[in-house]
Amino acid sequence: MSLPLELCCPACRGPLAEWGVGAVCRSCDRRYPGDRGYLDFLPELAAAGEGIGPRLMHSRALARVYERVWRPMFIAAASGGLPDYRAEFELVLSALATAEGGAVVDLSCGPGFTGRRLAESGRFERVFGLDWSLAMLARAAADNRGLMRLVRGDVGHLPFKTGSIAGAHAGAAFHMWPDPSAAVAEVARVLRPGGGFVASTFAYTRGLRRKFEAMLSLVGKIHVFEADQLRGMLSAHGLVDFESERHGSLILFWARRAGAPAA
Protein backbone atom coordinates (compact mmCIF):
# COMPACT_ATOMS: atom_id res chain seq x y z
CA MET A 1 0.00 0.00 0.00
CA SER A 2 1.49 3.37 -1.02
CA LEU A 3 2.29 6.04 1.55
CA PRO A 4 -0.31 8.82 1.90
CA LEU A 5 0.92 12.14 0.52
CA GLU A 6 0.19 13.94 3.80
CA LEU A 7 2.82 12.05 5.80
CA CYS A 8 6.35 13.26 6.49
CA CYS A 9 9.18 12.46 8.91
CA PRO A 10 8.26 13.87 12.34
CA ALA A 11 11.94 14.33 13.22
CA CYS A 12 13.08 16.49 10.29
CA ARG A 13 9.85 16.88 8.24
CA GLY A 14 11.63 15.30 5.32
CA PRO A 15 9.85 13.29 2.61
CA LEU A 16 9.19 9.59 3.11
CA ALA A 17 9.74 6.63 0.84
CA GLU A 18 8.34 3.12 1.12
CA TRP A 19 10.55 0.70 3.08
CA GLY A 20 9.00 -2.76 2.95
CA VAL A 21 5.67 -2.31 4.74
CA GLY A 22 7.09 0.73 6.55
CA ALA A 23 8.72 4.02 5.59
CA VAL A 24 12.15 5.61 5.50
CA CYS A 25 12.96 9.32 5.56
CA ARG A 26 14.82 10.42 2.45
CA SER A 27 16.47 13.27 4.35
CA CYS A 28 17.63 11.83 7.68
CA ASP A 29 17.36 8.07 6.90
CA ARG A 30 15.22 7.33 9.97
CA ARG A 31 13.23 4.13 9.49
CA TYR A 32 9.67 3.56 10.61
CA PRO A 33 8.24 0.01 10.69
CA GLY A 34 4.71 -0.74 9.58
CA ASP A 35 4.27 -4.45 10.23
CA ARG A 36 1.73 -4.25 13.09
CA GLY A 37 -1.15 -2.70 11.21
CA TYR A 38 0.10 0.85 11.76
CA LEU A 39 3.09 2.96 10.76
CA ASP A 40 5.24 3.44 13.88
CA PHE A 41 6.89 6.86 14.11
CA LEU A 42 8.00 6.09 17.69
CA PRO A 43 9.70 2.70 17.23
CA GLU A 44 12.18 3.15 20.09
CA LEU A 45 9.68 4.39 22.68
CA ALA A 46 7.39 2.33 24.88
CA ALA A 47 4.73 3.59 27.32
CA ALA A 48 4.84 7.28 28.16
CA GLY A 49 3.35 9.66 30.67
CA GLU A 50 3.31 10.11 34.40
CA GLY A 51 0.32 9.73 36.66
CA ILE A 52 -2.65 7.40 36.78
CA GLY A 53 -4.53 8.91 33.87
CA PRO A 54 -1.83 8.84 31.16
CA ARG A 55 -0.54 5.42 32.24
CA LEU A 56 -4.00 3.88 32.03
CA MET A 57 -4.05 4.69 28.31
CA HIS A 58 -1.22 2.19 27.79
CA SER A 59 -3.11 -0.66 29.46
CA ARG A 60 -4.12 -3.63 27.29
CA ALA A 61 -6.98 -4.38 29.66
CA LEU A 62 -8.36 -0.85 29.29
CA ALA A 63 -7.96 -0.98 25.50
CA ARG A 64 -10.19 -4.08 25.43
CA VAL A 65 -13.05 -2.43 27.35
CA TYR A 66 -12.52 1.21 26.36
CA GLU A 67 -15.43 1.53 23.93
CA ARG A 68 -17.98 -0.60 25.79
CA VAL A 69 -17.19 0.36 29.41
CA TRP A 70 -14.59 3.07 29.97
CA ARG A 71 -15.75 5.71 27.50
CA PRO A 72 -19.46 5.60 28.50
CA MET A 73 -18.47 5.69 32.19
CA PHE A 74 -16.06 8.57 31.60
CA ILE A 75 -18.62 10.65 29.68
CA ALA A 76 -21.35 10.01 32.26
CA ALA A 77 -19.12 10.98 35.20
CA ALA A 78 -17.80 14.10 33.49
CA SER A 79 -21.07 15.37 32.03
CA GLY A 80 -23.44 14.28 34.78
CA GLY A 81 -25.71 12.51 32.32
CA LEU A 82 -25.97 9.62 29.89
CA PRO A 83 -23.77 9.84 26.77
CA ASP A 84 -25.45 10.91 23.55
CA TYR A 85 -22.99 9.67 20.94
CA ARG A 86 -25.20 10.57 18.00
CA ALA A 87 -25.48 14.21 19.05
CA GLU A 88 -21.75 14.36 19.84
CA PHE A 89 -20.80 12.90 16.47
CA GLU A 90 -23.12 15.23 14.58
CA LEU A 91 -21.44 18.17 16.29
CA VAL A 92 -18.01 16.78 15.37
CA LEU A 93 -19.09 16.43 11.73
CA SER A 94 -20.44 19.98 11.76
CA ALA A 95 -17.14 21.31 13.14
CA LEU A 96 -15.31 19.43 10.37
CA ALA A 97 -17.62 20.60 7.57
CA THR A 98 -14.81 22.51 5.83
CA ALA A 99 -12.73 19.31 5.81
CA GLU A 100 -15.10 17.34 3.58
CA GLY A 101 -13.27 15.80 0.66
CA GLY A 102 -9.91 16.18 2.40
CA ALA A 103 -7.79 14.24 4.87
CA VAL A 104 -8.64 14.33 8.58
CA VAL A 105 -6.84 12.94 11.61
CA ASP A 106 -8.32 11.52 14.80
CA LEU A 107 -5.68 12.46 17.39
CA SER A 108 -5.24 10.14 20.38
CA CYS A 109 -7.63 7.86 18.53
CA GLY A 110 -7.53 5.08 21.14
CA PRO A 111 -9.13 1.91 19.77
CA GLY A 112 -10.69 3.92 16.93
CA PHE A 113 -14.13 4.78 18.32
CA THR A 114 -14.57 8.07 16.44
CA GLY A 115 -12.04 7.54 13.65
CA ARG A 116 -13.94 4.56 12.25
CA ARG A 117 -17.15 6.57 12.26
CA LEU A 118 -15.48 9.46 10.47
CA ALA A 119 -14.26 7.03 7.82
CA GLU A 120 -17.66 5.34 7.55
CA SER A 121 -19.34 8.72 6.98
CA GLY A 122 -17.78 8.82 3.50
CA ARG A 123 -17.22 12.58 3.77
CA PHE A 124 -13.43 12.54 3.80
CA GLU A 125 -10.82 11.43 1.31
CA ARG A 126 -8.72 9.82 4.03
CA VAL A 127 -8.94 9.36 7.81
CA PHE A 128 -5.83 8.92 9.92
CA GLY A 129 -5.94 7.51 13.44
CA LEU A 130 -2.95 8.59 15.54
CA ASP A 131 -2.04 7.45 19.05
CA TRP A 132 1.04 6.85 21.18
CA SER A 133 -0.27 3.79 22.99
CA LEU A 134 0.77 0.40 21.63
CA ALA A 135 -2.17 -1.22 23.40
CA MET A 136 -4.73 1.17 21.92
CA LEU A 137 -3.30 0.91 18.42
CA ALA A 138 -3.24 -2.88 18.58
CA ARG A 139 -6.95 -2.80 19.38
CA ALA A 140 -7.62 -0.20 16.70
CA ALA A 141 -5.77 -2.31 14.12
CA ALA A 142 -7.79 -5.40 15.05
CA ASP A 143 -11.10 -3.56 14.52
CA ASN A 144 -10.07 -1.25 11.69
CA ARG A 145 -11.33 -3.18 8.63
CA GLY A 146 -9.19 -0.97 6.41
CA LEU A 147 -11.13 2.17 7.30
CA MET A 148 -8.31 4.31 8.77
CA ARG A 149 -4.63 4.79 8.08
CA LEU A 150 -3.24 4.13 11.56
CA VAL A 151 -0.02 5.77 12.72
CA ARG A 152 1.81 5.77 16.03
CA GLY A 153 3.01 9.26 16.82
CA ASP A 154 3.39 12.11 19.26
CA VAL A 155 0.86 14.97 19.20
CA GLY A 156 3.77 17.33 19.91
CA HIS A 157 5.61 16.20 16.74
CA LEU A 158 2.97 15.25 14.19
CA PRO A 159 4.09 13.21 11.15
CA PHE A 160 2.17 15.37 8.67
CA LYS A 161 3.29 17.96 6.17
CA THR A 162 2.53 21.61 6.93
CA GLY A 163 -0.93 22.57 5.67
CA SER A 164 -1.76 19.05 4.47
CA ILE A 165 -4.62 18.15 6.84
CA ALA A 166 -8.17 19.37 6.29
CA GLY A 167 -9.46 18.70 9.81
CA ALA A 168 -8.49 17.26 13.18
CA HIS A 169 -10.40 15.72 16.07
CA ALA A 170 -9.27 14.84 19.60
CA GLY A 171 -11.99 13.14 21.65
CA ALA A 172 -11.60 13.02 25.44
CA ALA A 173 -7.82 13.19 25.17
CA PHE A 174 -6.72 16.84 25.28
CA HIS A 175 -6.31 16.72 29.09
CA MET A 176 -3.89 13.78 28.76
CA TRP A 177 -1.42 15.56 26.50
CA PRO A 178 1.81 16.47 28.34
CA ASP A 179 2.02 19.90 26.68
CA PRO A 180 -1.37 20.89 25.22
CA SER A 181 -0.12 24.25 23.93
CA ALA A 182 2.72 22.63 21.97
CA ALA A 183 0.27 20.09 20.56
CA VAL A 184 -2.13 22.86 19.49
CA ALA A 185 0.78 24.58 17.72
CA GLU A 186 1.39 21.34 15.81
CA VAL A 187 -2.30 20.98 14.97
CA ALA A 188 -2.30 24.54 13.64
CA ARG A 189 0.83 23.81 11.58
CA VAL A 190 -0.59 20.75 9.82
CA LEU A 191 -4.08 22.18 9.22
CA ARG A 192 -4.73 23.87 5.91
CA PRO A 193 -6.28 27.38 6.03
CA GLY A 194 -9.91 27.09 7.09
CA GLY A 195 -9.35 23.58 8.45
CA GLY A 196 -11.36 22.67 11.53
CA PHE A 197 -10.18 21.40 14.91
CA VAL A 198 -12.67 19.90 17.35
CA ALA A 199 -11.89 18.36 20.74
CA SER A 200 -13.37 17.45 24.10
CA THR A 201 -11.76 17.69 27.51
CA PHE A 202 -12.26 18.65 31.17
CA ALA A 203 -13.15 22.22 32.14
CA TYR A 204 -13.61 23.67 35.60
CA THR A 205 -17.10 24.28 36.92
CA ARG A 206 -18.02 25.87 40.28
CA GLY A 207 -18.68 24.93 43.89
CA LEU A 208 -17.95 21.48 45.28
CA ARG A 209 -17.57 19.98 41.82
CA ARG A 210 -14.67 22.34 41.15
CA LYS A 211 -12.84 20.91 44.18
CA PHE A 212 -13.33 17.41 42.80
CA GLU A 213 -11.99 18.53 39.42
CA ALA A 214 -8.91 20.00 41.09
CA MET A 215 -8.33 16.77 43.02
CA LEU A 216 -8.73 14.75 39.81
CA SER A 217 -6.14 16.95 38.12
CA LEU A 218 -3.67 16.51 40.98
CA VAL A 219 -4.09 12.75 41.52
CA GLY A 220 -4.57 11.72 37.90
CA LYS A 221 -1.88 14.06 36.53
CA ILE A 222 -4.27 15.40 33.92
CA HIS A 223 -5.10 18.93 32.85
CA VAL A 224 -8.34 20.69 33.71
CA PHE A 225 -8.94 23.94 31.84
CA GLU A 226 -10.87 27.17 32.08
CA ALA A 227 -12.95 27.76 28.95
CA ASP A 228 -11.24 31.12 28.34
CA GLN A 229 -7.87 29.38 28.70
CA LEU A 230 -8.77 27.04 25.84
CA ARG A 231 -9.94 29.95 23.70
CA GLY A 232 -6.71 31.85 24.34
CA MET A 233 -4.52 28.82 23.66
CA LEU A 234 -6.13 28.15 20.30
CA SER A 235 -6.14 31.81 19.31
CA ALA A 236 -2.42 32.15 20.15
CA HIS A 237 -1.68 29.53 17.50
CA GLY A 238 -3.93 30.87 14.78
CA LEU A 239 -7.09 28.87 15.49
CA VAL A 240 -10.01 31.29 15.41
CA ASP A 241 -13.82 31.41 15.68
CA PHE A 242 -13.75 29.44 18.94
CA GLU A 243 -17.06 27.93 20.06
CA SER A 244 -17.90 25.44 22.77
CA GLU A 245 -20.66 23.38 24.31
CA ARG A 246 -20.58 22.30 27.96
CA HIS A 247 -22.12 19.43 29.91
CA GLY A 248 -20.93 19.46 33.52
CA SER A 249 -17.14 19.14 33.58
CA LEU A 250 -17.02 18.08 29.94
CA ILE A 251 -16.46 20.71 27.27
CA LEU A 252 -16.58 20.14 23.53
CA PHE A 253 -14.90 22.99 21.67
CA TRP A 254 -14.02 23.76 18.09
CA ALA A 255 -12.25 26.38 15.98
CA ARG A 256 -10.73 26.73 12.51
CA ARG A 257 -7.31 27.57 11.12
CA ALA A 258 -7.16 31.25 10.19
CA GLY A 259 -7.32 31.95 6.47
CA ALA A 260 -9.64 31.03 3.65
CA PRO A 261 -9.74 27.45 2.32
CA ALA A 262 -7.98 26.87 -0.97
CA ALA A 263 -10.27 27.14 -3.96
Side-chain angles (χ1 to χ4, degrees):
M1 188 179 293
S2 61
L3 292 172
L5 295 175
E6 296 84 4
L7 290 175
C8 70
C9 173
C12 73
R13 297 183 189 165
L16 298 174
E18 292 182 47
W19 174 57
V21 293
V24 59
C25 178
R26 291 179 176 174
S27 296
C28 68
D29 202 40
R30 284 181 170 85
R31 296 172 185 254
Y32 304 111
D35 55 348
R36 297 183 179 180
Y38 53 86
L39 191 55
D40 192 350
F41 287 105
L42 303 170
E44 298 176 358
L45 297 178
E50 297 179 358
I52 297 172
R55 289 191 180 280
L56 273 174
M57 295 302 110
H58 295 271
S59 162
R60 291 182 181 179
L62 181 62
R64 285 195 295 268
V65 301
Y66 183 87
E67 294 188 8
R68 291 178 288 104
V69 179
W70 178 266
R71 195 177 193 278
M73 209 167 58
F74 166 86
I75 297 296
S79 66
L82 295 175
D84 187 343
Y85 296 134
R86 178 172 295 181
E88 177 188 346
F89 187 63
E90 286 302 316
L91 207 158
V92 168
L93 285 177
S94 176
L96 295 177
T98 60
E100 291 194 19
V104 298
V105 55
D106 187 20
L107 299 167
S108 298
C109 67
F113 182 84
T114 301
R116 290 195 307 273
R117 286 158 180 78
L118 289 172
E120 287 168 342
S121 74
R123 301 189 184 194
F124 310 104
E125 179 183 13
R126 192 165 15 258
V127 176
F128 291 95
L130 179 144
D131 209 297
W132 185 310
S133 168
L134 293 166
M136 290 293 182
L137 282 170
R139 189 69 197 179
D143 296 338
N144 189 31
R145 307 189 309 278
L147 292 168
M148 293 183 288
R149 297 302 297 265
L150 294 171
V151 295
R152 183 171 182 242
D154 178 0
V155 291
H157 300 278
L158 292 173
F160 302 109
K161 297 175 184 175
T162 298
S164 66
I165 298 297
H169 168 262
F174 199 83
H175 44 277
M176 297 284 189
W177 295 353
D179 189 342
S181 183
V184 168
E186 271 292 270
V187 169
R189 178 185 68 79
V190 304
L191 281 179
R192 69 188 186 188
F197 174 50
V198 55
S200 54
T201 190
F202 284 120
Y204 281 114
T205 52
R206 297 180 179 179
L208 291 175
R209 191 179 182 96
R210 187 181 182 93
K211 293 182 179 180
F212 170 76
E213 291 155 358
M215 183 180 69
L216 180 66
S217 175
L218 181 65
V219 175
K221 298 295 183 184
I222 64 175
H223 304 281
V224 180
F225 302 91
E226 302 287 358
D228 286 343
Q229 179 186 6
L230 292 169
R231 181 194 302 270
M233 187 188 307
L234 269 61
S235 176
H237 296 294
L239 297 174
V240 300
D241 298 338
F242 179 94
E243 294 186 63
S244 65
E245 182 177 290
R246 294 196 58 151
H247 299 279
S249 302
L250 191 69
I251 182 169
L252 184 70
F253 62 95
W254 57 98
R256 65 173 183 86
R257 183 74 172 93

